[in-house]
Amino acid sequence: MATGRAAASASPLEMRAVRAVRSAAPATVTALGVFAAVRGGGALVLALGAWWAGRDPLRVLGRSWDADWYVRIAAHGYGRTLMWPDAATGTGPVQSDLAFFPLYPLLIRLVSAVLPGGAVPAALLIAWVSAAVAAVGIYRVGERVNGPRAGLLLVGLWAALPHAVVLSLAYTEALLAAFAAWALYAVLCERWLWAAGLAVLAGLTRPTALAVAAAVSGMALHAIVVRRSRAPGVWPAVLLAPAGWAAYVLAVGMKVGDPLGGYFGVQRGWGSRFDFGAGALRSAQRVLTGGHVPLATTVTVILLAAAGLLAVLLVLDRTPLPLLVYTAVLLVITIGGAGFFESKPRFLLPAFPLLLPVAAVMARARPRTAVMVTAVVAGLGYGYGLYLLLVARVPL
């Protein structure tokens, strides 16, 4: 009786909110289930492959390449540098850990202080939880654009991508994808302060998070100028969204004595700079002309596919503008940046809107066909992940 009286006294707005939460819960659980099935299988295959190869699965997942830098920063703070001297001159590029943004190491330190096991399990736990949170956000975006079924398929495809193995490692792509997905969803719902706050956190996670800030600030400015919006928080969103990214870049610049250019100097030590795609074009040209470049053929195909999918999004003219801005900026940063060519597909992993047209087409197919396609893509991704980490052993 008390429950009935409480329901009767609730306002219509409260009742609608309760119904929305109840209807959203099963969809959220299903999206998490799809992601866990696809990515959990990948983590299991990778762990078994590492064990079979005589390597410690925990070390493969938590200490490979950039993961080792993040764990060391979490344990000892910033200050580590590596120098690769030239045999003739004795000098060479200096790689500094200042190139790595601070939020993920900070979270590792906080979690490892509370939970037993040390920094590596904490780093993996954060990455896995972030990937799950990202999957729910990606579902929400896909559901809003193309419907619930397409949203679930979007999650499955994202979890099955060739470089989705990174979601099982102690890397920052999962954390960035979580912030990006929910920031974009907040923009679509015109919750500007939420979007700006998530963009700030994204900006403290990875340098490519500039794409999130561009989408949030750009759409808030569009709302003000074009739609004459006076929504709460829209002006602060324009100014706040890039604050996290800008704050770290400025802090590193001040630390090395060059406030505006210092961070980019640190990045040049890693061979990373913006060359408008000249380096990527040279690598792709070697592949297309028959030159043998390890893994570059696959990377070239992935980059061409990403550019093609972005063109499809633009031609269809049904994709919300925030998703287009975010994806286009992320693609420009990835292809336009010089650096390790084989890492570019990893940088594109948070660009989940590229999969929207594929998920929309699959949503119109028979359920069995959609499941089979996702399973085949996942299987190929499992094999590719094993190859990257256990056979090629190239920096991801």
Side-chain angles (χ1 to χ4, degrees), residues 145-250:
V145 175
N146 290 323
R149 188 176 176 189
L152 291 175
L153 288 168
L154 182 64
V155 171
L157 289 170
W158 180 68
L161 286 172
H163 275 70
V165 63
V166 173
L167 299 176
S168 300
L169 306 182
Y171 271 52
T172 53
E173 272 69 25
L175 189 60
L176 175 59
F179 290 136
W182 284 105
L184 292 171
Y185 183 73
V187 171
L188 294 175
C189 298
E190 296 194 2
R191 297 171 182 170
W192 296 112
L193 287 179
W194 275 104
L198 291 165
V200 169
L201 293 174
L204 294 169
T205 303
R206 286 193 55 77
T208 51
L210 188 61
V212 184
V216 175
S217 289
M219 290 304 97
L221 191 60
H222 178 272
I224 293 168
V225 175
V226 177
R227 296 192 288 111
R228 306 294 182 183
S229 174
R230 296 296 180 265
V234 66
W235 266 113
V238 175
L239 304 173
L240 288 177
W245 184 90
Y248 185 68
V249 169
L250 182 60

Side-chain angles (χ1 to χ4, degrees), residues 2-388:
T3 303
R5 286 195 298 270
S9 62
S11 69
L13 181 60
E14 290 171 336
M15 293 298 293
R16 284 198 298 272
V18 170
R19 284 196 296 270
V21 170
R22 287 176 178 173
S23 63
T28 299
V29 172
T30 304
L32 281 173
V34 169
F35 176 78
V38 177
R39 218 36 278 137
L44 179 61
V45 168
L46 184 58
L48 291 174
W51 174 79
W52 182 81
R55 299 181 62 191
D56 180 5
L58 191 63
R59 186 168 185 82
V60 171
L61 295 172
R63 285 283 191 175
S64 294
W65 306 109
D66 287 5
D68 185 62
W69 286 87
Y70 286 117
V71 169
R72 287 177 181 270
I73 294 169
H76 307 294
Y78 285 96
R80 182 187 182 211
T81 58
L82 292 179
M83 183 177 178
W84 303 93
D86 181 82
T89 64
T91 61
V94 176
Q95 295 179 343
S96 168
D97 57 8
L98 290 172
F100 297 92
F101 277 50
L103 183 58
Y104 186 47
L106 176 61
L107 292 175
I108 295 172
R109 178 175 293 186
L110 293 175
V111 173
S112 62
V114 176
L115 300 179
V120 171
L124 291 174
L125 177 63
I126 295 165
W128 295 347
V129 170
S130 299
V133 172
V136 177
I138 289 169
Y139 168 75
R140 287 292 173 213
V141 172
E143 176 194 40
R144 188 177 182 91
V145 175
N146 290 323
R149 188 176 176 189
L152 291 175
L153 288 168
L154 182 64
V155 171
L157 289 170
W158 180 68
L161 286 172
H163 275 70
V165 63
V166 173
L167 299 176
S168 300
L169 306 182
Y171 271 52
T172 53
E173 272 69 25
L175 189 60
L176 175 59
F179 290 136
W182 284 105
L184 292 171
Y185 183 73
V187 171
L188 294 175
C189 298
E190 296 194 2
R191 297 171 182 170
W192 296 112
L193 287 179
W194 275 104
L198 291 165
V200 169
L201 293 174
L204 294 169
T205 303
R206 286 193 55 77
T208 51
L210 188 61
V212 184
V216 175
S217 289
M219 290 304 97
L221 191 60
H222 178 272
I224 293 168
V225 175
V226 177
R227 296 192 288 111
R228 306 294 182 183
S229 174
R230 296 296 180 265
V234 66
W235 266 113
V238 175
L239 304 173
L240 288 177
W245 184 90
Y248 185 68
V249 169
L250 182 60
V252 172
M254 294 178 67
K255 185 176 181 66
V256 301
D258 182 3
L260 296 181
Y263 176 78
F264 305 103
V266 170
Q267 283 282 16
R268 283 194 293 274
W270 288 82
S272 180
R273 66 187 187 283
F274 194 80
D275 67 350
F276 299 92
L281 185 60
R282 284 193 298 270
S283 297
Q285 187 177 19
R286 285 196 293 271
V287 171
L288 297 174
T289 55
H292 177 69
V293 182
L295 291 177
T297 300
T298 304
V299 174
T300 301
V301 170
I302 291 173
L303 295 181
L304 289 174
L309 288 171
L310 178 61
V312 170
L313 288 177
L314 293 170
V315 169
L316 288 178
D317 197 30
R318 290 202 305 265
T319 307
L321 188 56
L323 305 184
L324 288 176
V325 171
Y326 164 73
T327 308
V329 172
L330 188 56
L331 197 61
V332 168
I333 292 173
T334 300
I335 296 179
F340 198 64
F341 187 63
E342 282 77 1
S343 295
K344 292 186 181 296
R346 167 169 71 91
F347 300 157
L348 284 178
L349 192 59
F352 65 90
L354 289 173
L355 299 171
L356 282 169
V358 182
V361 171
M362 289 175 61
R364 294 193 289 270
R366 295 178 180 178
R368 181 181 298 180
T369 302
V371 171
M372 288 180 62
V373 170
T374 304
V376 169
V377 174
L380 293 173
Y382 296 168
Y384 188 61
L386 282 174
Y387 175 73
L388 286 175

